[in-house]
């Protein structure tokens, strides 16, 4: 039985979904990814939200819906518009994924983002024997990330 972990860089993922004019049922997505009949057991799923102090409350219902579908929510609230704040968000995701994969002994990481900052992380995981899959939506894949993953 392969142990599956799912991570979404949520707004990055949602922007791609919106551009493709697709509606995603996140509960069904998790069910599909962790199909026991296929030998895949969903261990945990995280959705990362990069918020700023002015939009934190306006996204509350969306965050509650994603949480109700089975994702654990990770929030990063930026209190300034500095680019450095966004870099902290990406760094936190990288550190969390490394801990998550190691601590929970994840065999397959399913990742939803087009941000190439994650390329070294995904390559490192793959080099260490973790299968890396990218959630694929038409016109969503980033060619650099697509080149390193083992499943789309």
């Amino acid at each position: 039985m392969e142990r599956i972990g799912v991570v979404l860089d949520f707004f990055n993922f949602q922007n791609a979904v919106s551009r493709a004019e697709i509606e995603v049922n996140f509960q069904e997505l998790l069910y599909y990814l962790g199909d026991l009949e296929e030998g895949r057991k969903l261990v945990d799923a995280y959705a990362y939200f990069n918020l700023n102090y002015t939009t934190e409350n306006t996204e509350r219902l969306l965050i509650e819906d994603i949480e109700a579908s089975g994702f654990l929510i990770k929030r990063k609230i930026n209190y300034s518009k500095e680019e450095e704040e966004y870099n902290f968000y990406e760094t936190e995701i990288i550190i969390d994924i490394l801990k998550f994969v190691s601590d929970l002994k994840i065999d397959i990481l399913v990742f939803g983002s087009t941000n190439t900052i994650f390329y070294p992380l995904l390559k490192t995981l793959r080099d260490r024997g973790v299968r890396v899959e990218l959630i694929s939506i038409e016109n969503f894949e980033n060619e650099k990330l697509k080149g390193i993953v083992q499943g789309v």
Side-chain angles (χ1 to χ4, degrees):
M1 181 78 48
E2 294 177 305
R3 297 170 56 83
I4 310 297
V6 179
V7 175
L8 291 181
D9 178 2
F10 188 81
F11 288 126
N12 179 288
F13 178 80
Q14 190 64 24
N15 285 337
V17 166
S18 294
R19 283 192 310 272
E21 298 179 358
I22 296 172
E23 191 165 319
V24 176
N25 180 322
F26 289 95
Q27 189 171 21
E28 289 287 323
L29 175 66
L30 291 181
Y31 179 76
Y32 170 76
L33 293 172
D35 188 350
L36 290 174
E37 290 179 11
E38 296 290 326
R40 296 167 62 107
K41 179 181 187 228
L42 180 65
V43 175
D44 251 334
Y46 293 93
Y48 285 81
F49 287 83
N50 187 24
L51 306 166
N52 66 48
Y53 63 93
T54 61
T55 62
E56 179 183 5
N57 288 328
T58 60
E59 301 295 346
R60 184 178 50 83
L61 292 177
L62 172 63
I63 292 170
E64 287 173 1
D65 285 346
I66 300 305
E67 187 172 39
S69 70
F71 282 88
L72 298 169
I73 303 300
K74 298 280 191 163
R75 292 177 182 89
K76 169 73 172 124
I77 301 170
N78 296 323
Y79 293 100
S80 74
K81 296 187 186 229
E82 300 292 323
E83 185 177 332
E84 184 176 82
E85 285 283 337
Y86 190 76
N87 292 341
F88 290 157
Y89 165 75
E90 293 164 338
T91 303
E92 286 179 21
I93 292 175
I94 291 168
I95 292 168
D96 283 355
I97 290 173
L98 288 170
K99 290 191 308 190
F100 168 59
V101 167
S102 175
D103 293 350
L104 298 178
K105 297 175 178 46
I106 299 299
D107 299 309
I108 301 172
L109 175 71
V110 179
F111 191 64
S113 181
T114 60
N115 191 336
T116 57
I117 192 90
F118 298 111
Y119 179 87
L121 166 70
L122 301 179
K123 183 174 182 335
T124 298
L125 291 173
R126 183 175 174 180
D127 290 348
R128 293 179 173 253
V130 175
R131 180 176 170 88
V132 178
E133 298 178 353
L134 188 64
I135 297 174
S136 180
I137 296 170
E138 187 176 338
N139 298 320
F140 173 65
E141 301 98 353
N142 175 291
E143 289 302 316
K144 185 170 184 178
L145 293 182
K146 191 176 175 182
I148 192 64
V149 299
Q150 294 149 298
V152 288

